[in-house]
Amino acid sequence: MTYSTYNINTPSPYLVLHKVDKIPNILSIGQSNPNSNDSVETDIKILTAHKCNGETLITELSTENSDPFLIPGSFLASKFGSLPKKDAIKIGNLTKDAVALLKKHMTSISVPVVISADSLDTETFTSLKEVVFKQSTLVVVSITKAQKLLNLSNNIKTVEDIFSVVNQFSNEASASNVLITNCKLTESNSFDVLFTSDNQDFTTFKAHVNVRDCNGMISTAITANLAHEFSLKEAIYGALEYVQSSVTVNNNGNTAPNFMYAIESPLKHMIADECFTAHEIVPIPKTLKAGPMVENFYAYLIQHPLVKPYWDTYIHHDFVRQIADGTLPLKKFQFFIEQDYSYLVDYGRVHCIAGAKSPDLEDMEKELVIVGRVREEMSQHEKRLKEEFGVKDDSYFKNIKRGPALNNYSRYFNQVAKRGNWEELVMALTPCMMGYGESAKAFKGKVTAPKGGMYSEWIDIYSCENYDNGMDIGMSLLNHVARTYPVDQIEKLIRIYGEVCDLETKFWDAALAYE
Amino acid sequence: MTYSTYNINTPSPYLVLHKVDKIPNILSIGQSNPNSNDSVETDIKILTAHKCNGETLITELSTENSDPFLIPGSFLASKFGSLPKKDAIKIGNLTKDAVALLKKHMTSISVPVVISADSLDTETFTSLKEVVFKQSTLVVVSITKAQKLLNLSNNIKTVEDIFSVVNQFSNEASASNVLITNCKLTESNSFDVLFTSDNQDFTTFKAHVNVRDCNGMISTAITANLAHEFSLKEAIYGALEYVQSSVTVNNNGNTAPNFMYAIESPLKHMIADECFTAHEIVPIPKTLKAGPMVENFYAYLIQHPLVKPYWDTYIHHDFVRQIADGTLPLKKFQFFIEQDYSYLVDYGRVHCIAGAKSPDLEDMEKELVIVGRVREEMSQHEKRLKEEFGVKDDSYFKNIKRGPALNNYSRYFNQVAKRGNWEELVMALTPCMMGYGESAKAFKGKVTAPKGGMYSEWIDIYSCENYDNGMDIGMSLLNHVARTYPVDQIEKLIRIYGEVCDLETKFWDAALAYE
């Protein structure tokens, strides 16, 4: 009788190298609730995403449709006793029985304890002060809840008013460190305040997305970071960015935060491994054989709704028009050249990675030729900055201040290079070449900037025949990608192209805006 | 009043790109049990690690110290009704009330359902057959449990006997697809068998680590992979490798499997991001300023217990001795050259990545010089294989069969290059250069292989003055790494050096063993 046999591959050696890493055990005390982000289920997800092993002490089972189901104190006590050694504890929703258990054991706990206080009623708050809050590493509470527990009216006008509430809460709760969240002076901007009583210090953290009702999640992420031995401020920073990202990098319209936003499918990596042998079980992905996308992917891209608005803005940019008609203020061009110079080392690195990920040796060599030209181009920029812009000191080049448009652009490229595959990198690298070409070509023969001058030369570089040939090569590479890439993933490639057009636009915007 | 303010960085753009990825919602029905890997807590960890959103329907709360606490049917029904839409369901420990609920709703469920049957008693098994098993996508059960449920004595002698049990279980349970685990013909080797009744097909999977009592975990990982739309066989393969790796890549002696083995700390990445601005909160890592490790890291390494056994075996290898005294059979040398040739493209890619990760432009250029020589070296190998070994056909080079020693070596390098930092890559690349040098130097002036011949030339390459200079540069690079790397992470660098020495040794072992 015939049957197939597949060998399971050995674990990834780089990961086995980390066998000696400590995985902290973290206990989450709170409610089980599938409809809430303030639940032990959510906590296990966040802890797992932070490379921590989550354990739970469920105080009650809650659901939308019925009364919560409280777990009796005897069971809680028994379970608490049976839990393995913990490296940190996060405290969420507590029942009366849970409070009693905590008060009994708190003084024998010597690991970091983070308490999310938003769900506490006044009675529980009072009950926890003397022993539990006092022993805690950090108490996290929203400002409105803090004011309620302190019986304060909402009379916030200045930062000092906020700090006063924070200070009062710390004193009243006997909590050494408190993080008060969702503080506002204007309707649109909120920030969080850390107060550490040992040095009476205040620190504010400004998040870009207003994440409400999330103190349970923030507390859990803080606990994980503390267990990994990050400092308190690092732990808080990381937790805020993590929760903010979970909400922003949402999953296809799902209302729940995406705690797994940075996690990659294990099986995807297993299939790509050098020592994977079960290739028979992997279906061959469907690719396009023919059609408009394959025959002219470039034309398809620049008309695609995910690209067109960004592409059009990019190639009809006023920055290029001002160069062509010679009206671009010199200092703006100088700024542009400096930012471009600063970018070139990143650009070199990205092409090294493109070389590493190239399908074959010839492609690798082409990439390395590009990298080789980077030093050349940097020399040209140095020359121009010295000759045309009067830069004298060589140390100038090391001290160029990188603007936000450059950092965002670099960041995007570096991440696609690091985390993406070769085709994604091709999509990220192509808009620059095609866009400069199209933009300059529009002014070929119509340049009114002085002939032989800097500006006129700049238009020439990107509109000459040599450059055209480069664009032709780029276009056929795009067609190759469209023909060979799994069809169901092509949309992601299109998105990348659009996003990079937007980054290019913003790079030129920054030059025009430079004062 | 003065206080510090920190801005929270925006989410990583590459991850925002994946905003449109679907995160499957998976329901795990089973027990809450902190002391078992067959629990909803474990399931949420596994699901999170598989980029799925886990929901739980807890049937009972269990603990070592007391009787389980059963959740009443009314609460189960209410909760089940309130859960959001699921993309897949995994079924574990069931109580009577849970069984009743399942039987009531099973026919209206149209998503993949995976059942882990090891915890079922005979009564529950019988109760689930008609409706629940019949509707399931896969039932997972160990062979001993299957035999028990079928009332079969343990009379396994051949593969056909095993397949017979599998087939019987599928029929008896009315389950279209079954995965029977932990099948054995000899004491040391176990394997798992998939039976799909539509085509009456058997498939076996051989894992390298015997993972017992883990069918709950395997079932959960399978469910996650199915929800991500992998095929059934891929889903099973992935689950087996995942569980095997979780057990192998353990965490510092902890008894629990390490479900987070492939997950990286979010905060680590946040701090390294180009647009991170809160540098003040990051403590400067402690580095060594002086001492033996810094003055001669190379000498320190080769004496270190994590390196010395592998290093000694490596540089006193019989492969090199047989080259020096001319006794190495020609076909073994040919095999070695072929494997080395096949390796060279990987080597080129790894140095591209080293270039990308280099601290500065000069280092990047040095790496690219190395890559440039790869094509040269490949030509030399081609020449040698043609002239000395009579290879005529150019297609020969594309068809060289890569042996396991080469694949393991490549795999290790590629992973350090991809996932590691520049210093880790330096540690991985150095043993090759130092080891070939030390090995060859030992025979300098003592070569008895014919002068001017292939073997004598090979020793010359690695023992000449030019090569010595290269080794000096390598040694000072090692000292630089020791001086600048965070002290508490140096041990991992040392481990890498040792592991690569072992891989080099095995590469030469494979050449000597070639028949």
Side-chain angles (χ1 to χ4, degrees), chain A residues 57 266 269 294 297-298 320 397:
Chain A
L57 184 65
H269 282 279
V294 168
F297 194 30
Y298 175 64
V320 182
F397 302 105

Side-chain angles (χ1 to χ4, degrees), chain B residues 10 46 88 148 152 196 213 247 357 434:
Chain B
T10 51
I46 295 173
K148 203 177 289 183
L152 296 173
T196 44
D213 301 325
V247 170
K357 296 187 176 186
M434 304 305 285

Side-chain angles (χ1 to χ4, degrees), chain A residues 143-144 147-148 151-157 162 165 184:
Chain A
I143 193 162
T144 33
Q147 289 169 313
K148 204 177 287 183
N151 263 318
L152 297 173
S153 56
N154 189 6
N155 200 14
I156 304 281
K157 297 231 164 24
I162 291 176
V165 173
K184 290 182 175 185

